[in-house]
């Protein structure tokens, strides 16, 4: 029995030693299905390029004020994902120029000066004329300056290939716009995570002050002979837990700031001040049908997928056009002579019709390969349409649930505040020991974490809804770009609802 009591005692101390900050942003409650980190928002596995950047500025002295708009603007310039997407667009434009070159005239110039000594017998010239000496070799020279040109007048394969390359350029442009949406999502999520981390630090500071006051009260009552030493020990354990929680919260805040700096291209040691507080502001009711129609009409990734289908269709037509004849002309104009002093103009002009008869199965292979790519592009576009429908539905559900969760968390925080106040009063009056107060402190700390989590979940749900609809950059500047310190922000609510000990 004594051993069982010891085990239970150690378990109780272990539970008291678990800091509230060790919980994730979910605060210990059932969390919404929203990402809890930037890695979850972007890509699993290898590091996403959207979490990196090209360094833009040197380290600046002092603290840099950073609003949501400033962060988004920097991200759209220096984020690695946007840089790589811009280069992919440039590659698509270069491929279009290459395809277009097959439709344009090919003009070349040449200058030639030659001296030739030919072996006549070796060239098959063995004429012998009696009385006329003919040697075995002959020497001659010529000078030639010439322009040559070729042009395919009718080449349906080249025409369709150029059209396909143009469709790929349009797809690359939409992909670049989609990258801008993703960068906006990454910046907004990182900004919100920093604000949530700042709120956790402020909550941890408030909880530490409450624990210090409780420890002082318990110590005073012990010195007055009103309470046993165990109350002071319990208060001291709680104080140490709150100090540990503050350390972890500060560490988490520092890392979240570094993540944000990496996303927007600032040095990782740059000191920043978050200007936008992102207050709680419910969204009006959103029609799922209207949101889906808007997403299909405006989401750049879906528009890019549609252009890729068109490009694949044109590639297949180009492959089929390989069976058709091509009509072209070629010619040259220049001057020719045995010496630059005696040259005179010469020219040639040719017209030709090329008719494919047997290509060893190459044309059929090209058609089958192009058709396979076309079916892949269609399947990807159809799947993306379904994912967009899912994204919109999930985002609307998350926004609604997160809004309700904020209200519940706010009410829970009020109740936890009242409970702690009454427990402190009861302990001060000697009605109960400080176990009740410590439990109330734990409940208030959990309620604070849940409230911070619910605010983050609500804001990130709005971010994901804007991304799902396809208007992240425009919408988020309005939704998140509120005045600093506005009522309802994470920091203000945490400060207002942290109760100092009496």
């Amino acid at each position: 029995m004594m051993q069982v009591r010891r085990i239970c005692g150690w378990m109780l101390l272990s539970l008291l030693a678990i800091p509230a900050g060790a919980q994730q942003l979910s605060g210990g409650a059932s969390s919404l299905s929203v990402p809890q980190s930037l890695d979850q928002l972007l890509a699993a596995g290898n590091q996403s390029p959207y979490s990196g950047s090209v360094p833009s500025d040197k380290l600046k002295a002092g603290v840099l004020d950073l609003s949501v708009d400033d962060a988004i603007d920097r991200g759209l310039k220096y984020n690695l994902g946007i840089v790589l997407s811009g280069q992919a667009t440039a590659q698509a434009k270069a491929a279009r120029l290459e395809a277009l070159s097959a439709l344009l005239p090919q003009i070349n110039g040449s200058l030639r000066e030659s001296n030739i000594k030919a072996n006549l017998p070796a060239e098959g010239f063995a004429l012998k004329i009696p009385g006329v000496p003919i040697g075995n070799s002959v020497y001659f020279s010529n000078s030639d300056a010439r322009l040559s040109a070729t042009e395919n007048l009718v080449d349906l394969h080249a025409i369709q290939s150029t059209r396909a390359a143009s469709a790929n350029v349009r797809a690359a442009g939409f992909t670049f716009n989609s990258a801008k949406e993703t960068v906006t999502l990454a910046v907004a999520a990182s900004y919100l995570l920093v604000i949530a981390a700042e709120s956790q630090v402020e909550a941890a500071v408030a909880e530490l002050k409450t624990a210090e006051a409780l420890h002082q009260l318990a110590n005073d009552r012990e010195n007055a002979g009103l309470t046993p030493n165990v109350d002071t020990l319990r208060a001291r354990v709680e104080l140490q837990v709150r100090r540990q929680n503050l350390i972890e919260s500060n560490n988490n805040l520092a890392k979240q700031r570094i993540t944000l700096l990496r996303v927007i291209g600032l040095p990782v040691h740059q000191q920043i001040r978050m200007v936008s507080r992102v207050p709680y502001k419910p969204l009006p009711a959103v029609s799922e049908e209207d949101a889906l129609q808007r997403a299909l009409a405006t989401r750049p990734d879906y528009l890019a997928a549609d252009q890729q289908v068109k490009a694949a269709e044109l590639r297949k037509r180009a492959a089929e056009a390989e069976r058709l004849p091509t009509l072209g002309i070629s010619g040259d104009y220049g001057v020719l002579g045995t010496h630059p002093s005696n040259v005179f103009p010469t020219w040639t002009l040719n017209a030709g019709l090329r008719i494919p008869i047997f290509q060893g199965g190459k044309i059929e292979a090209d058609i089958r390969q192009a058709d396979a790519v076309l079916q892949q592009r269609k399947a990807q576009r159809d799947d993306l349409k379904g994912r967009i429908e899912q994204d919109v539905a999930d985002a609307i559900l998350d926004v609604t649930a997160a809004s309700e969760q904020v209200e519940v968390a706010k009410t829970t925080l009020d109740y936890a505040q009242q409970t702690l106040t009454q427990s402190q009063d009861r302990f001060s009056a000697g009605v109960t020991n400080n176990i009740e107060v410590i439990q109330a402190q734990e409940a208030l700390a959990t309620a604070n974490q849940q409230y911070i989590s619910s605010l983050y979940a609500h804001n990130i749900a709005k971010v994901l809804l804007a991304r799902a609809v396809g208007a992240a950059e425009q919408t988020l500047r309005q939704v998140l770009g509120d005045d600093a310190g506005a009522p309802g922000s994470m920091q203000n609510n945490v400060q207002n609802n942290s109760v100092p000990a009496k």
Side-chain angles (χ1 to χ4, degrees), residues 129-153:
I129 302 176
V132 179
I134 299 178
N136 290 330
S137 62
V138 61
Y139 175 84
F140 61 93
S141 63
N142 58 46
S143 299
D144 188 13
R146 193 161 305 277
L147 288 176
S148 60
T150 60
E151 166 69 359
N152 290 327
L153 299 178

Side-chain angles (χ1 to χ4, degrees), residues 311-422:
E313 292 174 345
L314 292 169
R315 287 292 182 188
K316 183 179 179 181
R317 294 179 187 176
E320 293 171 344
E322 292 181 27
R323 292 195 176 108
L324 302 177
T326 58
L327 176 63
I329 60 173
S330 63
D332 62 75
Y333 179 86
V335 291
L336 179 65
T338 59
H339 189 269
S341 62
N342 61 8
V343 296
F344 58 88
T346 61
W347 55 269
T348 60
L349 180 63
N350 302 296
L353 183 67
R354 177 180 175 275
I355 304 174
I357 297 177
F358 179 71
Q359 303 296 321
K362 176 182 179 301
I363 297 177
E364 183 63 26
D366 290 344
I367 293 175
R368 292 184 181 182
Q369 184 177 10
D371 182 69
V373 173
L374 174 58
Q375 299 307 319
Q376 289 177 349
R377 296 291 181 266
K378 286 183 176 180
Q380 291 170 350
R381 182 189 60 183
D382 294 342
D383 174 71
L384 179 57
K385 183 178 180 180
R387 281 194 284 120
I388 290 175
E389 185 175 0
Q390 179 182 358
D391 290 345
V392 171
D394 288 346
I396 292 176
L397 289 173
D398 285 341
V399 169
T400 303
S403 180
E404 296 174 355
Q405 199 173 55
V406 168
E407 299 298 332
V408 173
K410 181 65 169 63
T411 303
T412 303
L413 191 58
D414 292 338
Y415 290 154
Q417 171 185 330
Q418 296 174 27
T419 301
L420 178 58
T421 302
Q422 293 182 17

